[in-house]
Amino acid sequence: MLFERYRPSMAAPSSSGLEVLLSTLQDAGDTESTLNILNVLDELLSAGTDRRIHYMISKGGSESLLMALLNTAQNVPPNYTLLLPILHLLAKVGHRDRRIGVKAEKAEAVLVMLGLLRQNLKDARRAAACLWVIQVFCASVSTATLLGKNRGLDIVFRLIPAHTTKHIRTVKAAIDALAALLRSKVNCRTAVSKGYISGLLKLFADWHSNDTEREHIPIQRALLHCLDHATNTSVGRSALVAEGGIELLFQTTQTCMFTRGMECLVEPAVQLMRKCYPKCALSLSSDQSVYSFPLPGKPLNPWDFVPTSQGDAFEDDSDSDNDNDDENEDAENKDYEDDLETDLESLRQRPQPDRPLEQLGQYVRLCPELHHDFQELASGSESEESSDEDSLLNGDKGDRWARSGRRSSRRHRGSAQTPSSRATRKGHPSSVSNGGGHTTPEEEEEEEQKMKAKDLHSQCLRSHEEGHRSMVDRLLERFGACIPHHDPRLYAAAAASTRSIAGYSILAFPDFWGHLPTKGSECMAVRRPNVQRQKVLQDIQRFLCPEDIINKVVFDMEDPSPQCSSDHKDSLRFFSKFECGNLRKAVQVRRFEYDLILNADVNTSRHHQWFYFEVSGMMANVPYRFNIINCEKSNSQFNYGMQPVLYSVREALEGRPRWVRTGSEICYYRNHFQPTRCERSSCFYTLTFTVTFKHDEDVCYLAYHYPYTYSSLQAHLQMLQRSVDPRKVFFRQQNLCNTLAGNPCPLITITACPTSRSWKSLYQLRNRPCVVLTARVHPGESNASWVMKGSLEFLCSSDPLAQSLREAFIFKIIPMLNPDGVINGTHRCSLSGEDLNRQWNKPDPALSPTIYHAKGFLYYLNSIGRTPLVFCDYHGHSRKKNVFLYGCSVKETLWQSGSSVDTSTLKEDPGYRTIPKTLDRIAPAFSFNSCNYLVEKSRASTARVVVWREIGVLRAYTMESTYNGCDQGIYQGMQMGTWELEEMGAKFCQSLLTLRKSTMLYDSKVISHMSLLDDSPLDHKSHNCFVDDEPPCVEEIEYHSPLTSDPPGKDLDSEVNANMYSSAEDEDKDKDGDKQSPRCRRNRSNDLKSHLFPPLCRPDSLESL
């Protein structure tokens, strides 16, 4: 038998006192000896913590108790004087033994226990003891199934009566035992087939309505727990819905929320309703993105939807199939070494180049500073040599597009009413055109009438109508440009040459007009208690009262009909068909509530996070609820104080052109929607927020984060080139390559011009180390572009530190590695449907051209002996606060991965920590303790790891900037704005000066400028946080997790103790069950301590044991 092997060891001379007791317990032949041993064990275990019980379990305590149970139960009739203490102690020990069910099966004690319960159905005290043991046995699903096959469900269910005041302890034990039995899905299906769901609902309703004194709340909680287990199968959930369970639970929550002492029932009931809410597929024709793009060498997928485009479309009539979706955003293609993190040789070994050396000659052109002769320094001329790349800035790019028939003017959307204080006439710009000429007063008045916001969606000026002034000219004439480094004319011209899949012909007003950073940081939003519960209950009301739901589609990208129709007079108007925009569908649910569905990344059915859309037709001071219902991530910073951003055209034209954080009652939680294909493992989450607009009939834009478009970058680069002094700053914009859609991917070179054409000056220039900066490989990480904007503007500025940096380094900057994704409003992928930051190992020149050529350029720099001193890829992080770096270190990787390699003698250059340490001192938003230098095998294909391993760059980083804000430093509790992001970009550049202290001693000017950094340390300390995720949300995001209940150990212990020290006489006497408070019951248990077991052992003997 199972327990025979324990006896020799327990009886051995070296056995401990506990082992001797357990061995004696199995062999004790008389009642008094067994009671004494049980008394000692109970006192011993009750006096300590769970650690003592776990020690007893490790010494075979569970097996000994099971053997004692079997020996005692074999007697006819059983000796309940012994059996009850054994059952009580077995229940207390068993629920802490994870394998108690398996052990009971092997000992053949399971059915014996069920037989004992059958024999004692009319004895409440004995039945309760049997039920507790059955409950702990059911920790094993196989044990629960075995009991169910032997009619255990029927026996236990019959023990649960309607509302009563008798034998409350036994009723509670029966409900808990039933819940434990329902851990088995086989038992769940059996329970459904026998109508137990209906019975449990009726029992809950009866106990809830008749418990007027609120004395039996634990019974009601236990019934909810039982229903939770019963609905772990789809048939169980369907049965609960069919039996009116959601209506009952909803009514219960409405009562309990406003009744003192019953709040503890609300959360379990809400979670159960969320769990059983019928699943609903999104109202889409396909899960695939509305936009598709034909890929070279890829077969076409005929079932994917192809939208009707506006105007001149750059698209194909069929979708391309994407077979390379990652499992999640951090998953890699599986082309990596499994032992990368733990094997020293794998970490140190440099992989072979992925292309022959002969192919690198094409990148010579990307180092113009090495070949430029600087003739202008000799002639004193300020003009610079022209190049093909320069011609792109001056209009040749637009001419090329005009020759191909692709250039189209862009109408402008989104103007609001002009304030009367600024002009006597009220008008609203509705389009951007490049026409010339003048208008008569009558024509101008007619145009102004057409520019009203309320008619914005139905009337637009023609692009090239003769005799009309340009909309850009009229806007600038009336309001004037006021954004540094931004020119609306340049933006409109750049946007006209941008190639999109849908052929966007409309500009979003915020991108066209510009953005001024908010004055002062904005605080994180304060989460109101139970806000998620309120939103979930509103969602459940949709199911209960469908007649109150409008359910009207007010915007749909797949519908070619005009979405700005005047038919929707009582609805908001939505629009997203502009650069960087993302909103697939908008459905009006209630008068002031809208469900919004995001578009998937091009050529995929996934990656729903980024949103950017226009909304108009609102009423002022009315709260509108927006629900984005197809988010994919399991948690979001929106649960921790983050807000979306809003841009008001009315505010902009009144002199406040800025994105601001907005929204109240923000929460993020799992919903009942699923993809149209109904994949079993797929689920969606809702981001809900409420916006109260300031102005009637305004035109506003809402976005996940501060948008930054490809056209903004192109216009910004032109402004920067115009702003620098060509005699001092060497600034070149070149085309790294063209993207899949044919958009140029710019590469910027910035350094200081030599002071003269002398050999010494040119030698110093051409031997400056390179710093390579990249950004926006993930289109939805717009914060990375704002950080890059700060770096670019600082490097082109007249700041002494910027001048020192230009004299010390040559900067090679690729500010947007994924232009196509940015343009088309994707979140993670390029047009190929792949995450470009997972393609660096073996980039495909056809499908990932920007990565292929960026890596080729780095190979080229390495081949000519100019390996970059620093490489940094700017990113955004959706799960953490602050700004921090990921780097690469052999030692730290071996430490964190638990490798057996001895690192004490391993030598490694610690220079990879220099920049993070400097940033922690000078950058307010930076957190050194959030940095990590682990080289994970799952990140083996990212830019940081590939550049470190293959190119040999010691300081290869990913810089992550939060979407939310900071929880340390002077920005603690504040959300990051564009000013703070741009500051971070400048600070990163400033930190590079610390790398040149030892190599530029001859340049006193650099050293003096570096002292500016040393003299102004920040008074802040980074927090120590190495985890990616925030603490658990204050409200449950998921609803499949177990319902909140009392701690099973303490709750069961207190019930067992009360049953142990009560007699049959007390049970009859206490017909009102548990009317006494828990504290009174505990005191009563203490008073009755050792009532059953006489104190035969002295305290010192217990201590010795």
Side-chain angles (χ1 to χ4, degrees):
M1 209 168 182
L2 172 69
F3 308 111
E4 294 300 325
R5 67 175 184 270
Y6 288 98
R7 294 186 180 182
S9 62
M10 289 180 181
S14 59
S15 299
S16 67
L18 178 61
E19 291 173 315
V20 173
L21 278 176
L22 294 175
S23 178
T24 307
L25 176 63
Q26 298 181 41
D27 298 322
D30 60 285
T31 302
E32 185 176 356
S33 299
T34 305
L35 284 175
N36 287 338
I37 294 171
L38 291 172
N39 181 38
V40 171
L41 289 174
D42 183 67
E43 292 285 353
L44 180 66
L45 299 178
S46 299
T49 62
D50 281 1
R51 188 174 179 181
R52 288 189 178 183
I53 297 181
H54 288 296
Y55 178 74
M56 175 180 169
I57 293 170
S58 70
K59 295 300 181 181
S62 299
E63 291 86 344
S64 297
L65 289 171
L66 288 169
M67 176 61 74
L69 169 65
L70 291 173
N71 292 337
T72 308
Q74 288 173 357
N75 298 324
V76 181
N79 183 355
Y80 287 102
T81 304
L82 286 179
L83 195 57
L84 271 178
I86 292 173
L87 292 175
H88 289 150
L89 194 56
L90 183 57
K92 294 171 71 174
V93 172
H95 77 77
R96 293 173 173 86
D97 187 347
R98 296 179 181 178
R99 293 181 51 80
I100 185 64
V102 177
K103 293 174 182 178
E105 283 189 70
K106 289 182 178 179
E108 299 179 356
V110 177
L111 298 184
V112 172
M113 198 64 251
L114 187 58
L116 285 173
L117 177 61
R118 282 194 180 102
Q119 298 170 21
N120 293 280
L121 294 177
K122 295 183 179 180
D123 189 307
R125 188 160 173 259
R126 296 175 186 175
C130 295
L131 288 165
W132 288 322
V133 174
I134 288 176
Q135 177 186 344
V136 299
F137 281 180
C138 289
S140 167
V141 174
S142 62
T143 308
T145 304
L146 176 62
L147 286 165
K149 289 179 179 178
N150 288 273
R151 302 193 63 187
L153 281 172
D154 298 335
I155 296 171
V156 175
F157 186 73
R158 286 201 300 268
L159 285 173
I160 307 175
H163 181 264
T164 180
T165 58
K166 295 182 180 181
H167 311 308
I168 297 301
R169 189 180 302 121
T170 306
V171 174
K172 174 72 162 47
I175 299 173
D176 289 338
L178 182 62
L181 284 165
L182 291 173
R183 288 174 181 164
S184 162
K185 291 190 176 181
V186 174
N187 289 348
C188 286
R189 287 187 281 271
T190 302
V192 172
S193 66
K194 293 186 176 182
Y196 287 177
I197 299 292
S198 174
L200 287 170
L201 288 171
K202 290 176 181 177
L203 285 170
F204 177 77
D206 182 71
W207 279 88
H208 181 70
S209 59
N210 291 312
D211 185 21
T212 55
E213 300 297 325
R214 310 307 176 202
E215 295 175 344
H216 304 308
I217 300 298
I219 298 289
Q220 299 175 53
R221 285 174 61 83
L223 286 168
L224 288 175
H225 194 213
C226 213
L227 284 166
D228 176 50
H229 282 200
T231 54
N232 281 338
T233 61
S234 58
V235 291
R237 293 189 289 272
S238 299
L240 185 138
V241 174
E243 296 294 337
I246 292 184
E247 292 91 333
L248 171 63
L249 294 171
F250 186 84
Q251 293 168 8
T252 300
T253 58
Q254 299 304 305
T255 303
C256 295
M257 282 192 297
F258 306 104
T259 305
R260 185 176 180 181
M262 300 189 69
E263 298 87 350
C264 60
L265 296 177
V266 176
E267 189 59 25
V270 170
Q271 289 293 84
L272 191 53
M273 285 188 286
R274 291 178 66 193
K275 180 180 180 179
C276 297
Y277 197 116
K279 297 295 181 184
C280 176
L282 293 176
S283 58
L284 300 175
S285 61
S286 166
D287 295 323
Q288 289 289 111
S289 171
V290 171
Y291 298 139
S292 63
F293 188 84
L295 302 178
K298 293 274 187 172
L300 299 179
N301 195 340
W303 63 266
D304 290 334
F305 177 79
V306 182
T308 303
S309 62
Q310 291 185 313
D312 297 325
F314 182 75
E315 63 180 1
D316 192 79
D317 290 336
S318 59
D319 262 351
S320 127
D321 188 22
N322 171 40
D323 296 325
N324 297 314
D325 277 347
D326 296 333
E327 289 300 318
N328 55 62
E329 73 173 22
D330 291 328
E332 296 293 336
N333 51 27
K334 302 303 179 183
D335 185 21
Y336 54 70
E337 303 96 324
D338 288 333
D339 59 350
L340 177 62
E341 299 172 9
T342 57
D343 184 67
L344 179 59
E345 290 305 316
S346 296
L347 285 168
R348 282 181 162 178
Q349 183 180 7
R350 179 175 295 186
Q352 292 296 319
D354 61 8
R355 67 199 78 187
L357 187 64
E358 295 75 23
Q359 293 185 8
L360 303 182
Q362 60 181 308
Y363 302 111
V364 173
R365 65 181 180 86
L366 299 179
C367 293
E369 73 285 354
L370 302 182
H371 313 290
H372 195 70
D373 58 8
F374 296 97
Q375 288 287 345
E376 62 271 20
L377 295 179
S379 62
S381 169
E382 296 185 9
S383 64
E384 296 194 67
E385 292 184 351
S386 62
S387 65
D388 293 339
E389 290 76 17
D390 295 334
S391 67
L392 292 177
L393 297 176
N394 297 320
D396 287 355
K397 180 171 64 173
D399 294 338
R400 174 169 57 84
W401 275 91
R403 287 194 298 271
S404 64
R406 288 287 306 137
R407 182 169 186 175
S408 63
S409 63
R410 298 201 171 197
R411 295 170 291 163
H412 167 69
R413 301 180 61 88
S415 298
Q417 195 172 29
T418 307
S420 57
S421 60
R422 298 289 297 268
T424 56
R425 295 172 299 175
K426 296 183 179 181
H428 306 275
S430 60
S431 69
V432 171
S433 65
N434 295 318
H438 302 279
T439 58
T440 64
E442 292 77 10
E443 291 173 331
E444 186 171 315
E445 183 177 355
E446 180 182 353
E447 291 174 12
E448 297 292 348
Q449 291 299 319
K450 291 180 179 180
M451 291 162 60
K452 288 183 178 179
K454 65 180 181 180
D455 299 325
L456 175 63
H457 296 274
S458 59
Q459 301 203 30
C460 294
L461 296 177
R462 286 168 285 181
S463 301
H464 289 286
E465 184 176 2
E466 294 184 2
H468 286 75
R469 291 176 297 161
S470 162
M471 177 58 67
V472 177
D473 294 333
R474 281 181 286 159
L475 281 171
L476 294 177
E477 177 184 324
R478 297 181 64 180
F479 304 106
C482 59
I483 312 297
H485 298 292
H486 182 82
D487 185 341
R489 292 186 180 88
L490 281 180
Y491 182 87
S497 300
T498 298
R499 306 179 79 164
S500 61
I501 294 178
Y504 296 137
S505 59
I506 292 174
L507 302 181
F509 186 87
D511 307 320
F512 157 75
W513 194 246
H515 158 77
L516 277 177
T518 305
K519 296 180 180 178
S521 300
E522 298 177 85
C523 294
M524 294 181 191
V526 177
R527 184 179 177 120
R528 186 167 54 82
N530 299 319
V531 62
Q532 178 181 303
R533 178 195 297 172
Q534 174 191 342
K535 301 302 179 184
V536 167
L537 290 175
Q538 291 176 7
D539 294 344
I540 292 170
Q541 282 182 301
R542 300 189 194 185
F543 174 76
L544 299 177
C545 306
E547 66 278 3
D548 296 337
I549 303 304
I550 298 173
N551 204 30
K552 177 173 66 176
V553 177
V554 295
F555 173 74
D556 191 346
M557 288 180 68
E558 298 172 274
D559 187 349
S561 62
Q563 297 299 322
C564 305
S565 170
S566 58
D567 295 341
H568 300 157
K569 294 180 180 178
D570 295 329
S571 306
L572 294 176
R573 296 184 291 271
F574 295 85
F575 193 79
S576 65
K577 296 179 182 178
F578 47 77
E579 186 176 347
C580 236
N582 190 320
L583 176 65
R584 180 169 180 171
K585 194 170 187 176
V587 180
Q588 185 177 17
V589 179
R590 298 183 178 94
R591 175 71 188 280
F592 302 113
E593 181 179 355
Y594 295 83
D595 280 354
L596 309 178
I597 302 176
L598 305 182
N599 193 25
D601 282 7
V602 177
N603 282 345
T604 79
S605 60
R606 299 174 56 241
H607 305 297
H608 308 92
Q609 180 169 321
W610 171 258
F611 61 87
Y612 180 20
F613 58 88
E614 174 193 293
V615 58
S616 59
M618 67 284 292
M619 293 189 293
N621 302 317
V622 172
Y624 289 87
R625 178 184 173 185
F626 298 99
N627 310 307
I628 298 176
I629 61 173
N630 64 330
C631 301
E632 290 178 329
K633 291 196 173 185
S634 60
N635 201 351
S636 171
Q637 281 290 316
F638 285 111
N639 275 331
Y640 303 97
M642 178 177 164
Q643 296 172 285
V645 293
L646 176 142
Y647 190 105
S648 164
V649 175
R650 174 79 174 263
E651 291 287 309
L653 297 183
E654 290 180 355
R656 296 177 293 277
R658 59 177 57 96
W659 287 98
V660 295
R661 299 278 188 169
T662 192
S664 59
E665 300 183 351
I666 302 173
C667 54
Y668 185 96
Y669 56 90
R670 185 170 174 177
N671 59 36
H672 63 281
F673 292 102
Q674 59 187 12
T676 57
R677 283 187 172 181
C678 299
E679 290 141 347
R680 188 171 181 179
S681 60
S682 299
C683 62
F684 288 128
Y685 296 80
T686 292
L687 163 63
T688 181
F689 56 92
T690 300
V691 177
T692 303
F693 300 98
K694 291 183 179 181
H695 308 288
D696 286 322
E697 293 295 332
D698 195 359
V699 178
C700 295
Y701 293 79
L702 287 166
Y704 180 85
H705 195 67
Y706 304 96
Y708 192 96
T709 66
Y710 173 75
S711 298
S712 295
L713 171 67
Q714 295 288 66
H716 184 231
L717 293 177
Q718 294 183 56
M719 293 289 289
L720 285 178
Q721 183 154 18
R722 294 180 183 182
S723 69
V724 300
D725 184 346
R727 293 170 299 181
K728 296 180 179 179
V729 181
F730 184 87
F731 184 103
R732 288 290 186 277
Q733 178 181 347
Q734 298 173 280
N735 183 21
L736 173 68
C737 63
N738 284 337
T739 65
L740 278 173
N743 292 295
C745 178
L747 183 145
I748 314 301
T749 302
I750 300 176
T751 191
C753 290
T755 55
S756 68
R757 295 187 66 213
S758 66
W759 176 88
K760 181 179 179 180
S761 297
L762 292 176
Y763 178 83
Q764 192 273 339
L765 164 67
R766 290 165 183 168
N767 282 277
R768 294 172 188 166
C770 286
V771 173
V772 177
L773 306 178
T774 62
R776 208 68 183 278
V777 69
H778 295 144
E781 295 171 2
S782 60
N783 44 0
S785 281
W786 289 101
V787 175
M788 179 60 76
K789 182 174 183 285
S791 293
L792 287 167
E793 289 186 1
F794 179 75
L795 291 174
C796 294
S797 70
S798 58
D799 188 285
L801 290 175
Q803 175 64 23
S804 299
L805 283 165
R806 294 193 295 265
E807 293 174 357
F809 303 104
I810 296 173
F811 289 89
K812 298 291 183 179
I813 301 175
I814 308 175
M816 196 170 283
L817 277 169
N818 193 351
D820 291 343
V822 173
I823 292 165
N824 293 287
T826 66
H827 169 65
R828 190 81 180 175
C829 301
S830 68
L831 299 189
S832 66
E834 295 176 333
D835 181 346
L836 290 184
N837 201 37
R838 299 297 189 268
Q839 309 304 315
W840 280 81
N841 258 351
K842 297 177 182 177
D844 188 314
L847 298 178
S848 309
T850 59
I851 305 303
Y852 180 83
H853 290 291
K855 186 178 180 181
F857 177 56
L858 290 166
Y859 271 140
Y860 170 72
L861 292 176
N862 179 258
S863 69
I864 63 173
R866 299 186 59 77
T867 301
L869 183 67
V870 176
F871 171 87
C872 190
D873 190 19
Y874 293 177
H875 281 256
H877 205 290
S878 64
R879 294 178 297 168
K880 289 182 69 174
K881 294 183 173 70
N882 311 310
V883 182
F884 51 94
L885 289 175
Y886 290 136
C888 300
S889 163
V890 173
K891 268 193 171 184
E892 299 202 32
T893 298
L894 295 174
W895 289 337
Q896 294 189 48
S897 63
S899 172
S900 59
V901 176
D902 181 13
T903 58
S904 60
T905 58
L906 187 64
K907 294 184 178 180
E908 182 179 36
D909 186 344
Y912 64 89
R913 283 178 168 260
T914 304
I915 291 176
K917 286 181 177 179
T918 304
L919 285 173
D920 193 53
R921 186 166 49 82
I922 68 172
F926 191 83
S927 171
F928 178 79
N929 288 326
S930 292
C931 298
N932 204 319
Y933 310 94
L934 175 65
V935 181
E936 296 174 285
K937 61 184 178 183
S938 61
R939 305 279 199 299
S941 296
T942 61
R944 165 178 62 96
V945 177
V946 170
V947 172
W948 175 72
R949 294 185 71 201
E950 297 189 29
I951 312 300
V953 178
L954 172 68
R955 300 173 183 86
Y957 303 108
T958 297
M959 185 161 74
E960 300 277 2
S961 299
T962 180
Y963 288 106
N964 187 358
C966 299
D967 57 9
Q968 50 85 44
I970 62 176
Y971 293 154
Q972 184 173 6
M974 301 295 179
Q975 297 183 80
M976 294 277 281
T978 57
W979 190 92
E980 289 79 16
L981 292 169
E982 291 182 47
E983 178 192 50
M984 190 64 236
K987 294 297 184 183
F988 180 84
C989 294
Q990 293 172 17
S991 70
L992 300 174
L993 283 175
T994 57
L995 303 178
R996 304 299 289 156
K997 279 186 177 181
S998 59
T999 56
M1000 295 197 67
L1001 296 178
Y1002 58 86
D1003 194 336
S1004 59
K1005 189 161 55 174
V1006 173
I1007 301 303
S1008 65
H1009 291 164
M1010 286 172 59
S1011 66
L1012 297 177
L1013 296 177
D1014 297 333
D1015 293 340
S1016 57
L1018 286 174
D1019 184 18
H1020 84 279
K1021 292 182 179 180
S1022 297
H1023 75 302
N1024 190 1
C1025 179
F1026 289 98
V1027 294
D1028 281 349
D1029 296 318
E1030 293 278 358
C1033 186
V1034 293
E1035 297 185 81
E1036 283 289 344
I1037 300 170
E1038 303 286 343
Y1039 51 75
H1040 280 309
S1041 55
L1043 295 184
T1044 305
S1045 61
D1046 295 329
K1050 300 299 182 184
D1051 185 49
L1052 184 58
D1053 284 351
S1054 62
E1055 294 289 338
V1056 170
N1057 287 335
N1059 202 52
M1060 282 176 65
Y1061 306 126
S1062 65
S1063 63
E1065 184 180 345
D1066 295 330
E1067 185 73 24
D1068 294 335
K1069 192 177 194 178
D1070 188 15
K1071 290 186 177 179
D1072 291 339
D1074 288 1
K1075 283 190 176 181
Q1076 299 177 56
S1077 67
R1079 177 177 297 177
C1080 293
R1081 291 201 303 272
R1082 284 196 299 270
N1083 292 338
R1084 182 168 174 256
S1085 297
N1086 293 333
D1087 293 339
L1088 293 172
K1089 193 70 174 173
S1090 301
H1091 173 78
L1092 180 61
F1093 304 130
L1096 301 179
C1097 294
R1098 295 175 299 175
D1100 55 349
S1101 64
L1102 292 178
E1103 292 302 323
S1104 65
L1105 288 172

